[in-house]
Amino acid sequence: MHEAPSSEELLGAVIGFLTEKAAPQLSGQAAFHARVAANALALVEREMAQRQPADARARALYAALLNDTSSPLEALTKEVCARIRSGALACDDPALLAALREITSAQLTIDQPTYSGLKP
């Protein structure tokens, strides 16, 4: 059994240290860099927790849109783009818009969780 702190716990501890202990004692550029470092680590923490399910959902949405259950996400994404460019997939297609809205919201939740556009 592995009893050491998990990666998520370690990230949380460092983020907490930077935001609650270090940054308040710093000023100027050093305080700014401590906040930037804490924000970068928080992004990594969200990526670790949310990337895999977000990508799986994006793959499922694109697979349904393209009727292709075997291709990886990268290939499906390229195919969606190619079909939009060629006109084979209309930009106002409700299924496309719903898929893109969901995929974009998932990405924003990882990148910018406080983005006002995410609020209902």
Side-chain angles (χ1 to χ4, degrees):
M1 175 178 223
H2 184 65
E3 295 185 22
S6 68
S7 299
E8 291 84 2
E9 290 169 327
L10 290 170
L11 278 170
V14 174
I15 292 166
F17 167 75
L18 287 170
T19 58
E20 297 163 19
K21 302 286 185 199
Q25 295 182 29
L26 300 171
S27 63
Q29 190 175 24
F32 171 76
H33 286 292
R35 288 191 306 275
V36 169
N39 287 338
L41 291 173
L43 174 60
V44 170
E45 186 177 49
R46 291 188 303 274
E47 278 280 344
M48 289 173 63
Q50 299 172 37
R51 173 58 53 211
Q52 188 174 356
D55 283 353
R57 181 65 180 145
R59 188 187 174 287
L61 289 166
Y62 285 155
L65 203 64
L66 300 172
N67 196 25
D68 176 352
T69 59
S70 61
S71 296
L73 177 57
E74 184 178 344
L76 293 169
T77 303
K78 287 179 181 180
E79 182 61 24
V80 166
C81 292
R83 289 189 189 187
I84 292 170
R85 269 193 306 275
S86 72
L89 189 54
C91 290
D92 60 352
D93 180 287
L96 171 65
L97 293 174
L100 293 177
R101 193 172 295 114
E102 187 173 338
I103 292 165
T104 301
S105 290
Q107 185 62 47
L108 281 170
T109 300
I110 295 169
D111 292 343
Q112 296 290 327
T114 60
Y115 177 68
S116 63
L118 289 173
K119 308 223 181 337

